[in-house]
Amino acid sequence: MNRSFATSSLWILATTVLLVVALVPFDPTLSERAQGLPGGIVTFNERITDFGTFSWMIYGSGLVVILAYIVHRVSRNETLAGRARTARRLSLYFLVTIGATSALVHLFKLIVGRARPELFSELGAYSLTPFAYDNLYASFPSGHSAAVGSFFGAFSMLAPRLRPLFLVGALMIGISRVIVGAHYPSDVAAGLLLGLWTAVATAFVFARREWLFRFNEHGWPLPKALLPPKPQ
């Protein structure tokens, strides 16, 4: 196993555990206060929160993969074909990252079975019903947060200099899930970090094939454009 991958995975896992453990005792209070924010803030968050859905990300990435493959196959222009190949690999990177995140988050939701905030008055904030097969018991981890964690995590791997901007975008959608009453803060933290881990893991897989990424001297995947050309 790549040492850098093992180290980064351990850091993300440790951060997830620490954040979840730290937030869980405050979940009810923070959730109640977030939902009680002024109406304008709540309305704004209701408008942006569905950006974090898996479906449009997966279908959009898949469509670009197909279009890029068609262009690559029919083009006789090497430059155009090369650009189509890059577009196909970019889309495939997002498709694999987001698709894997979706599978993992739904698995964890099913196993944990945490009741959503809308059931707080009946069951409290810590009710677990594993394998309930009911969306009302699918609070942990947040799917929307995992989706944007993987989406912006993929962008942060491709454009490291813009990571602070992508972090802000992911946090905005994650926080919106608490404000609209869909999740508790610990659900959001777990979802965001799960999505980030998947983006990192997929970058390592692609770097092994030298698709989009190459390993630097420390074994970390960086965009090929940021690294010097390999000696011939």
Side-chain angles (χ1 to χ4, degrees), residues 17-180:
V17 172
L18 287 173
L19 278 176
V20 170
V21 170
L23 287 171
V24 160
F26 303 101
D27 272 347
T29 302
L30 292 174
S31 181
E32 184 179 8
R33 290 184 178 178
Q35 294 176 57
L37 289 170
I41 296 177
V42 174
T43 300
F44 171 76
N45 281 273
E46 288 174 345
R47 290 175 178 172
I48 68 169
T49 194
D50 281 336
F51 178 82
T53 54
F54 280 111
S55 56
W56 76 265
M57 298 182 190
I58 292 174
Y59 294 141
S61 299
L63 178 61
V64 176
V65 168
I66 295 169
L67 292 176
Y69 178 78
I70 293 171
V71 172
H72 178 68
R73 295 295 295 177
V74 303
S75 174
R76 296 183 180 180
N77 184 308
E78 291 185 5
T79 302
L80 181 60
R83 290 176 179 174
R85 182 172 59 249
T86 300
R88 187 173 73 248
R89 289 175 179 174
L90 275 169
S91 303
L92 186 62
Y93 174 55
F94 280 96
L95 182 63
V96 171
T97 298
I98 295 164
T101 303
S102 177
L104 287 171
V105 80
H106 283 91
L107 176 63
F108 285 127
K109 281 176 177 288
L110 183 63
I111 293 173
V112 176
R114 186 182 191 183
R116 289 186 182 271
E118 62 187 280
L119 295 178
F120 175 75
S121 60
E122 299 174 43
L123 304 175
Y126 309 111
S127 174
L128 305 180
T129 309
F131 303 100
Y133 298 96
D134 188 329
N135 188 51
L136 288 174
Y137 298 90
S139 192
F140 184 93
S142 164
H144 282 63
S145 300
V148 295
S150 62
F151 185 72
F152 287 116
F155 272 115
S156 71
M157 294 300 293
L158 291 164
R161 295 176 183 175
L162 298 177
R163 278 176 185 166
L165 180 63
F166 300 136
L167 174 62
V168 170
L171 285 174
M172 283 182 63
I173 303 301
I175 291 171
S176 76
R177 301 305 292 160
V178 180
I179 294 175
V180 301

Side-chain angles (χ1 to χ4, degrees), residues 141-224:
S142 164
H144 282 63
S145 300
V148 295
S150 62
F151 185 72
F152 287 116
F155 272 115
S156 71
M157 294 300 293
L158 291 164
R161 295 176 183 175
L162 298 177
R163 278 176 185 166
L165 180 63
F166 300 136
L167 174 62
V168 170
L171 285 174
M172 283 182 63
I173 303 301
I175 291 171
S176 76
R177 301 305 292 160
V178 180
I179 294 175
V180 301
H183 289 283
Y184 294 105
S186 59
D187 303 333
V188 169
L192 287 172
L193 287 163
L194 174 62
L196 173 62
W197 177 83
T198 311
V200 171
T202 307
F204 272 92
V205 172
F206 273 53
R208 289 185 179 277
R209 292 178 169 269
E210 296 197 356
W211 289 358
L212 305 177
F213 302 96
R214 285 211 330 262
F215 292 118
N216 63 9
E217 65 273 17
H218 304 296
W220 181 259
L222 285 176
K224 293 166 73 172

